C-alpha cells in the first residue's frame, strides 16, 4: 500500500458517502488505472492519475520548475505566500499582483497547462524546501484535468495535494480556491460538482475554501465576459482584479 493510498484512506471515512467513493480505495485506484490505460490506448494520450505526482517533460515546464526550486531555496526568508496553479495563476496581471501580493512577499508558482498531478510533483520535488516557512498558500488547480479525468478523481487529487502541503508545512494555512466557471454550461456544471466536493476540506481554521463562481458566471451559457478572454477560460486584467477583490477579505484574514 502506497503512502498516497494511506493518505486518501485517512481522509475518506468522514466523507465516504458524499464523495461517492468505494470504501476500498485500492479497488477504485486499480479501476481508474485500468480505464486510464484503455483511454490512452484508444486516443494515444497518457493521462496520469491526479493523486499520483507526475512531472512534465517540456523544457518550459522544467525551466520554470527549476526556477521555483531555486527561489524557494535562495529567497526563503522573503516568501510569506505561495500561489500554486496553472496558466490562470501564471498569468496574473502585473499591476494587480504588484498591488495586492508583492507587498506581502508572494511567490507565483503557476505553470501553464499544469494539472493537479503536476503541481503535486512540483511540491514534492523541491518547491517546498526545508528552510521555507510561508504563512499561507493559495491553490487553484484542476481545470486542465477536465479533459482526462472524472470529477471525483480531480477532487481526490486536490485532497492529496492539500494533505501533502499540510504534512510538509504544518504551520502554513491553505486557501483552496474552486475551479472557475469555464467554456460553457456543461463544463461549468462539472467545476461546480468538483468544488462541492473539495469545499468539505474547509475546517474553518487552517484550510479554507473559496468559490468565486457567482462573480464570473450568471447561469446557462452566460458568463461575465468582460472578465474572460475569448476562450472563456483565461482571464483579462479585469478578471484578475475581480479575483483579487473577491479573495482579499479571506486572504487578509488568513494571512493575519
Amino acid at each position: 500500500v502506497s503512502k498516497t493510498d494511506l493518505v486518501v484512506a485517512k481522509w475518506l471515512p468522514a466523507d465516504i458517502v458524499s464523495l461517492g467513493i468505494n470504501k476500498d480505495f485500492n479497488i477504485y485506484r486499480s479501476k481508474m488505472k485500468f480505464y486510464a490505460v484503455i483511454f490512452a490506448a484508444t486516443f494515444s494520450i497518457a493521462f496520469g492519475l491526479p493523486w499520483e505526482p507526475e512531472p512534465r517533460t517540456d523544457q518550459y515546464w522544467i525551466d520554470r520548475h527549476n526556477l521555483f526550486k531555486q527561489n524557494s531555496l535562495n529567497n526563503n526568508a522573503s516568501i510569506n505566500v505561495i500561489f500554486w496553479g496553472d496558466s490562470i495563476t501564471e498569468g496574473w496581471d502585473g499591476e494587480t499582483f504588484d498591488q495586492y501580493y508583492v507587498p506581502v512577499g508572494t511567490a507565483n508558482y503557476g505553470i501553464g497547462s499544469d494539472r493537479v498531478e503536476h503541481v503535486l510533483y512540483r511540491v514534492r520535488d523541491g518547491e517546498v524546501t526545508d528552510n521555507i516557512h510561508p504563512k499561507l498558500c493559495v491553490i487553484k488547480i484542476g481545470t486542465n484535468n477536465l479533459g482526462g479525468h472524472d470529477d471525483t478523481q480531480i477532487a481526490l487529487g486536490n485532497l492529496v495535494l492539500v494533505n501533502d502541503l499540510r504534512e510538509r508545512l504544518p504551520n502554513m494555512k491553505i486557501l483552496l480556491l474552486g475551479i472557475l466557471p469555464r467554456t460553457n454550461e456543461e463544463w461549468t456544471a462539472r467545476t461546480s460538482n468538483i468544488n462541492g466536493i473539495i469545499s468539505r476540506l474547509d475546517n474553518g481554521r487552517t484550510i479554507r475554501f473559496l468559490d468565486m463562481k457567482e462573480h464570473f458566471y450568471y447561469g446557462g451559457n452566460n458568463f461575465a465576459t468582460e472578465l474572460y478572454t475569448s476562450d472563456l477560460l483565461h482571464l483579462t486584467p479585469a478578471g484578475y482584479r475581480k479575483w483579487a477583490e473577491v479573495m482579499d477579505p479571506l486572504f487578509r484574514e488568513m494571512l493575519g
Side-chain angles (χ1 to χ4, degrees):
V1 179
S2 72
K3 179 182 177 182
T4 299
D5 292 340
L6 293 174
V7 166
V8 174
K10 181 174 71 175
W11 283 76
L12 287 182
D15 286 304
I16 191 71
V17 176
S18 57
L19 282 171
I21 302 168
N22 192 311
K23 289 184 179 180
D24 187 344
F25 180 72
N26 287 325
I27 294 176
Y28 179 84
R29 189 166 181 254
S30 297
K31 286 180 179 179
M32 290 304 103
K33 281 187 174 181
F34 172 77
Y35 293 136
V37 169
I38 295 300
F39 187 93
T42 303
F43 296 98
S44 299
I45 300 174
F47 286 96
L49 294 171
W51 57 84
E52 295 188 344
E54 178 180 296
R56 285 166 48 186
T57 57
D58 57 285
Q59 196 60 49
Y60 179 76
W61 185 89
I62 292 170
D63 290 345
R64 283 190 66 78
H65 175 43
N66 286 334
L67 179 66
F68 298 158
K69 290 164 66 173
Q70 288 301 312
N71 188 56
S72 292
L73 187 64
N74 298 328
N75 300 310
N76 59 295
S78 62
I79 299 175
N80 292 318
V81 181
I82 301 177
F83 280 49
W84 270 291
D86 48 39
S87 59
I88 303 174
T89 296
E90 181 181 359
W92 262 99
D93 171 61
E95 181 180 349
T96 303
F97 195 84
D98 290 349
Q99 175 186 345
Y100 281 83
Y101 305 117
V102 169
V104 295
T106 302
N108 184 340
Y109 287 179
I111 302 183
S113 300
D114 255 11
R115 302 192 298 268
V116 180
E117 60 267 30
H118 301 137
V119 175
L120 182 60
Y121 179 90
R122 293 198 278 124
V123 165
R124 294 184 182 182
D125 187 56
E127 291 186 13
V128 172
T129 57
D130 291 338
N131 64 341
I132 197 170
H133 304 287
K135 298 178 181 178
L136 174 67
C137 79
V138 178
I139 304 170
K140 191 176 73 61
I141 190 68
T143 197
N144 292 320
N145 290 85
L146 288 168
H149 301 104
D150 66 36
D151 297 354
T152 302
Q153 289 177 305
I154 298 169
L156 276 172
N158 271 271
L159 181 153
V160 172
L161 175 60
V162 167
N163 187 78
D164 215 73
L165 285 166
R166 288 290 298 147
E167 288 187 347
R168 293 170 188 274
L169 296 166
N171 296 319
M172 179 185 71
K173 294 180 180 179
I174 297 173
L175 175 49
L176 178 62
L177 302 181
I179 302 173
L180 287 174
R182 58 164 295 182
T183 311
N184 54 39
E185 183 177 10
E186 178 184 357
W187 282 59
T188 297
R190 289 193 61 194
T191 65
S192 294
N193 185 45
I194 296 164
N195 293 344
I197 298 172
I198 64 176
S199 68
R200 298 185 180 96
L201 296 174
D202 189 324
N203 62 17
R205 303 180 309 282
T206 56
I207 304 170
R208 300 299 308 274
F209 175 80
L210 178 64
D211 188 352
M212 300 185 289
K213 175 182 176 180
E214 65 180 35
H215 301 277
F216 287 81
Y217 177 70
Y218 306 131
N221 284 314
N222 299 312
F223 291 79
T225 53
E226 71 279 7
L227 305 181
Y228 288 92
T229 59
S230 58
D231 60 6
L232 290 180
L233 171 61
H234 296 94
L235 302 181
T236 61
Y240 283 107
R241 180 159 292 279
K242 177 62 69 175
W243 176 355
E245 290 171 353
V246 173
M247 187 175 74
D248 197 57
L250 182 56
F251 179 88
R252 301 291 166 180
E253 174 189 324
M254 296 183 73
L255 190 58

